[in-house]
Amino acid sequence: MNNSQTTTRVVPDENGRFGAFGGKFIPETLMNAVTQLEIAFEEARRDPAFVQELNGLLSEYAGRPTPLTYAERLTKAVGGAQIYLKREDLNHTGAHKLNNALGQALLAKRMGKKSIIAETGAGQHGVASATVAAKLGLSCKVFMGEEDIRRQSLNVFRMKLLGAEVIPAVSGSRTLKDATNEAIRHWVSHVDETFYVIGSVVGPHPYPYIVREFQKIIGEETRSQVLQMLRRLPDEIVACVGGGSNAIGMFYPFIQDESVALRGVEAAGKGIDTDKHAATLTLGRPGVIHGSLTYLLQDECGQVQEAHSISAGLDYPGVGPEHAYLKDSGRVTYTSVTDAEALEAVQVLCQTEGIIPALESAHAIAEAIKRAKEMSSDKILVICLSGRGDKDVLTIQEALTTGGGE
Amino acid sequence: MTTALNRIDQLFADRDRKRFIPFLTVGDPSIEATFHLVKAMVEAGADLIELGVPYSDPLADGPTIQRASERALENGVTIGDALQLVKRLRESGMEASIVLFSYFNPVLQYGIERFFADLAAYGADGVVIPDLPIEENGPAVTAAKQHGIHVISLVAPTSSSRINTIGAQATGFLYCVSSLGVTGARVDLREDLADFLERVKASTTVPTAVGFGISTPDQVRAVAPHTDGVIVGSAIVQQIEKHVEELKDPIQMPQAVEKIKTFVHQLASALQ
């Protein structure tokens, strides 16, 4: 790579900037809260007791480390690079989201907060937050777009079963963006007693940084697992990007390994030549959403546009500011995959490996299959399988029987 | 067209008089209605008009102003339309101060330099950007100074140690957020509001104005001793919403404007 200078810089800087991106574009009412959070996190990550408690929960409660699986039949079917799967689907609650929810909820407890709130799209972060709230004895409110509540009714029931209150967001497109707006509005009103557990590497500083630090365990484990199994680094890593927390968690420990190509996959929805997509990095322009300057799907006057994806977790018009930075620096390549391609990838993985992937993760699989075909059989490709697809089975059934996704 | 002295500075030159500041969203339910409502509010005793630029994701606003934004956006109202409205109000002879209230992204997309140049050219006096804290407002403040426009800073009850820093940098007036939370009419104001307002006053040389949640003449009277100006938004927007169908109809509009004018007059006269 010719840009090692930019990629070796420490990001974010003290202003919460990843290059030009990031920052704290939030109401004054919240400024004190994010400053306190920054101080509390820096203290916590240096406190051996905090680190030990988190690591204990990650191994004995969440079930980490998650395995790295050689996808032998998929590799044969594709006929190119050897494909490995980082199995975040085997994390407790079925996705990578728990890594971050555990970390933030422990931080909330440390800061003396009794209630946590969270936003959720597909419901995975909501379920993870409800889970850790139950485990740590905190009360939990989850904000979820009305449209997503309809698409992910099973996860809504899971959250309620776990003792959380699910609050429908009925403004705007009634999806993740609006759930995040509602969560922030609630936070502004209850900032003294409430901790906002953000589910992705988005939002005002220090959230994109904190979430990366809690998710980088994905890449750290992968790196040591690949080295142990194969005595070498992989050639390429593929992860899906909505807000982008599984991708940042996977990529970050490999940023300095210049021989490892990194590829983020956005949702192209019905196609990037239509207006029904969520390909923020591919088609967006820099703008401000949820407190952060980043790539954004917006009209020419700066009104935020609605995103579209069959996968609720990728249905977001913004993206984490660190991804914006990594795109502009050239360290990570960002591409997109349509609803139809993702549905096809779900079936391929089911039938070759006996794993039902989340629709989000299926975007990474679809892209990885395209990439692996172009690579020789001595190359190693790792897919971040960010979550399992049980939550999506109804959506997949509906799409396959109606020929949806087209 | 810029005056040598910003109208906001002229307005607050006499600190013995309390000033009334109504808020309304541009284009709710039409640009034409907003024009007539603003003129009526000035006649009703408004000293400074806060014009809201509609936005798709108004994080700091409660349901009332969210709905106003949605009604305006359905009409395709843009930040450019808000600037044109300022121009038209000035051409009609209106002398009251005008402050635009806009989230940062529309300003960023319009172009920061171009935005402040146009504010000055069309006769606005200041801007409130609720999601632009002092840590992020450098480029906006630089452009604003060049064009004689005030970037109005906000302070909140949670600002604590930040109050002095914000107060020292404030220009025009300092917008005191009276309650935690988003905009919206409230039945009760915080018990410690007077203490907060006095603390803000002591932190700055510029005038202060208080808003977020103030909705009745009694509340206006209650906060008046501790501030130079009182801002009422959601309560007025609720009245606009109540009469929204009449305001859309050219024949019924004058009557509806008159009713809202009466409502604003009751609030404004609570300061006399």
Side-chain angles (χ1 to χ4, degrees):
Chain A
M1 305 290 292
N2 56 9
N3 45 37
S4 56
Q5 287 281 298
T6 48
T7 55
T8 51
R9 271 178 48 197
V10 177
V11 290
D13 64 19
E14 70 277 13
N15 299 315
R17 293 294 184 129
F18 300 86
F21 301 102
K24 306 176 192 178
F25 296 88
I26 47 172
E28 172 61 26
T29 307
L30 294 175
M31 285 302 288
N32 200 35
V34 294
T35 307
Q36 295 307 316
L37 174 60
E38 204 176 335
I39 294 166
F41 177 67
E42 287 305 327
E43 283 172 5
R45 65 194 282 264
R46 289 184 172 85
D47 178 356
F50 179 85
V51 174
Q52 196 182 1
E53 188 175 3
L54 179 57
N55 287 342
L57 284 165
L58 286 169
S59 65
E60 286 144 34
Y61 183 66
R64 302 203 71 91
T66 59
L68 185 71
T69 303
Y70 176 45
E72 191 175 359
R73 292 194 68 238
L74 176 64
T75 299
K76 275 194 187 131
V78 172
Q82 299 163 47
I83 301 171
Y84 286 78
L85 306 170
K86 177 59 175 169
R87 302 292 305 280
E88 291 303 299
D89 60 317
L90 295 178
N91 207 20
H92 179 43
T93 73
H96 69 290
K97 293 290 185 188
L98 190 72
N99 307 335
N100 167 56
L102 273 174
Q104 286 197 48
L106 269 188
L107 199 53
K109 227 180 146 178
R110 185 185 167 94
M111 292 173 77
K113 311 273 182 179
K114 301 263 187 294
S115 342
I116 60 170
I117 57 168
E119 84 295 336
T120 198
Q124 291 306 92
H125 175 58
V127 168
S129 299
T131 300
V132 298
K135 177 71 179 162
L136 300 178
L138 301 165
S139 84
C140 179
K141 285 187 171 69
V142 180
F143 294 83
M144 188 169 187
E146 210 173 41
E147 172 64 13
D148 291 334
I149 287 178
R150 188 189 64 78
R151 287 195 285 192
Q152 303 286 346
S153 55
L154 213 49
N155 266 345
V156 174
F157 180 68
R158 281 197 184 98
M159 288 183 260
K160 289 180 179 168
L161 197 56
L162 290 160
E165 186 186 346
V166 179
I167 301 172
V170 296
S171 58
S173 58
R174 302 168 185 225
T175 60
L176 178 54
K177 141 182 120 71
D178 312 287
T180 308
N181 286 341
E182 287 306 325
I184 293 175
R185 288 181 184 123
H186 181 92
W187 188 30
V188 174
S189 313
H190 303 86
V191 61
D192 290 336
E193 67 275 9
T194 302
F195 188 104
Y196 180 17
V197 178
I198 292 188
S200 191
V201 284
V202 301
H205 179 68
Y207 279 106
Y209 163 61
I210 290 178
V211 177
R212 179 189 80 194
E213 293 302 302
F214 287 138
Q215 290 293 3
K216 71 181 183 188
I217 191 166
I218 302 171
E220 286 169 349
E221 285 177 8
T222 303
R223 200 171 182 283
S224 68
Q225 286 166 326
V226 175
L227 284 172
Q228 198 177 10
M229 284 165 81
L230 305 167
R231 309 259 169 245
R232 55 166 292 206
L233 286 171
D235 298 287
E236 185 152 337
I237 298 175
V238 182
C240 66
V241 178
S245 69
N246 90 85
I248 283 290
M250 182 57 136
F251 293 163
Y252 187 69
F254 290 96
I255 290 285
Q256 309 297 338
D257 300 319
E258 294 183 4
S259 67
V260 182
L262 303 173
R263 189 168 280 257
V265 187
E266 296 189 298
K270 294 185 187 302
I272 55 173
D273 51 351
T274 72
D275 61 357
K276 297 240 179 285
H277 62 79
T280 307
L281 289 162
T282 311
L283 294 172
R285 297 195 320 277
V288 170
I289 182 168
H290 300 141
S292 187
L293 179 61
T294 184
Y295 278 81
L296 175 63
L297 296 178
Q298 56 183 320
D299 72 10
E300 58 188 16
C301 297
Q303 306 294 343
V304 178
Q305 288 175 324
E306 291 177 15
H308 170 87
S309 170
I310 191 171
S311 139
L314 301 183
D315 202 348
Y316 184 62
V319 65
E322 191 163 6
H323 284 293
Y325 167 73
L326 292 169
K327 172 193 160 78
D328 280 12
S329 77
R331 178 64 187 94
V332 180
T333 305
Y334 293 90
T335 55
S336 61
V337 152
T338 63
D339 290 350
E341 291 172 313
L343 278 168
E344 173 67 24
V346 167
Q347 297 168 81
V348 171
L349 195 74
C350 286
Q351 288 157 24
T352 56
E353 297 295 333
I355 296 169
I356 304 174
L359 278 169
E360 291 78 16
S361 322
H363 287 71
I365 296 158
E367 177 68 17
I369 290 172
K370 289 188 212 171
R371 290 294 303 155
K373 274 184 186 151
E374 318 242 302
M375 296 161 75
S376 57
S377 61
D378 60 331
K379 300 289 187 194
I380 307 295
L381 187 153
V382 178
I383 303 170
C384 187
L385 187 59
S386 56
R388 68 175 182 224
D390 305 46
K391 71 182 171 62
D392 293 319
V393 166
L394 281 174
T395 308
I396 295 165
Q397 183 188 32
E398 201 177 302
L400 291 179
T401 50
T402 61
E406 292 298 338
Chain B
M1 281 178 76
T2 47
T3 46
L5 192 62
N6 186 296
R7 288 182 195 84
I8 297 171
D9 301 325
Q10 292 176 7
L11 176 65
F12 287 106
D14 174 9
R15 296 282 281 271
D16 290 334
R17 269 202 61 191
K18 310 287 181 185
R19 304 298 176 174
F20 184 70
I21 307 172
F23 167 97
L24 72 173
T25 300
V26 176
D28 170 30
S30 70
I31 299 273
E32 195 60 24
T34 308
F35 176 81
H36 291 291
L37 284 166
V38 170
K39 302 280 280 186
M41 286 179 191
V42 174
E43 286 170 20
D47 300 289
L48 188 158
I49 302 285
E50 198 183 342
L51 288 177
V53 175
Y55 187 50
S56 56
D57 292 73
L59 271 187
D61 284 303
T64 303
I65 294 176
Q66 285 176 42
R67 286 195 300 271
S69 246
E70 282 173 21
R71 286 192 293 270
L73 287 174
E74 277 166 22
N75 300 331
V77 173
T78 66
I79 195 167
D81 294 332
L83 288 161
Q84 288 300 323
L85 175 65
V86 173
K87 188 174 175 219
R88 186 176 161 201
L89 287 164
R90 290 299 179 221
E91 284 168 358
S92 77
M94 190 186 115
E95 274 306 312
S97 303
I98 301 178
V99 164
L100 250 57
F101 176 103
S102 176
Y103 287 86
F104 185 50
N105 198 46
V107 173
L108 189 65
Q109 303 308 320
Y110 192 84
I112 292 174
E113 165 59 31
R114 179 181 164 219
F115 176 66
F116 285 100
D118 285 357
L119 281 176
Y122 296 155
D125 308 291
V127 60
V128 177
I129 307 179
D131 54 349
L132 198 68
I134 52 170
E135 283 79 355
E136 304 288 356
N137 74 5
V141 167
T142 305
K145 273 186 186 149
Q146 268 170 13
H147 296 285
I149 297 290
H150 289 307
V151 174
I152 308 301
S153 292
L154 294 102
V155 278
T158 50
S159 296
S160 56
S161 63
R162 299 168 52 83
I163 290 178
N164 289 336
T165 321
I166 297 168
Q169 296 174 21
T171 72
F173 65 90
L174 191 47
Y175 191 135
C176 306
V177 176
S178 63
S179 46
L180 292 188
V182 292
T183 59
R186 285 169 176 78
V187 176
D188 296 310
L189 296 172
R190 286 170 79 92
E191 281 177 11
D192 56 358
L193 182 59
D195 289 348
F196 164 63
L197 294 176
E198 292 301 330
R199 217 147 40 95
V200 176
K201 247 168 126 174
S203 77
T204 187
T205 57
V206 301
T208 60
V210 58
F212 274 51
I214 296 170
S215 55
T216 65
D218 281 347
Q219 288 173 335
V220 171
R221 266 187 288 273
V223 296
H226 311 288
T227 180
D228 301 296
V230 179
I231 305 160
V232 177
S234 295
I236 291 171
V237 174
Q238 272 173 6
Q239 291 300 311
I240 293 174
E241 186 168 52
K242 199 170 136 191
H243 298 290
V244 73
E245 291 309 321
E246 298 152 72
L247 286 167
K248 283 180 187 168
D249 175 5
I251 296 165
Q252 294 182 66
M253 189 202 285
Q255 275 179 303
V257 169
E258 204 55 37
K259 285 178 198 157
I260 294 158
K261 182 179 170 181
T262 305
F263 183 79
V264 171
H265 180 72
Q266 286 164 357
L267 291 163
S269 47
L271 284 175
Q272 302 315 319

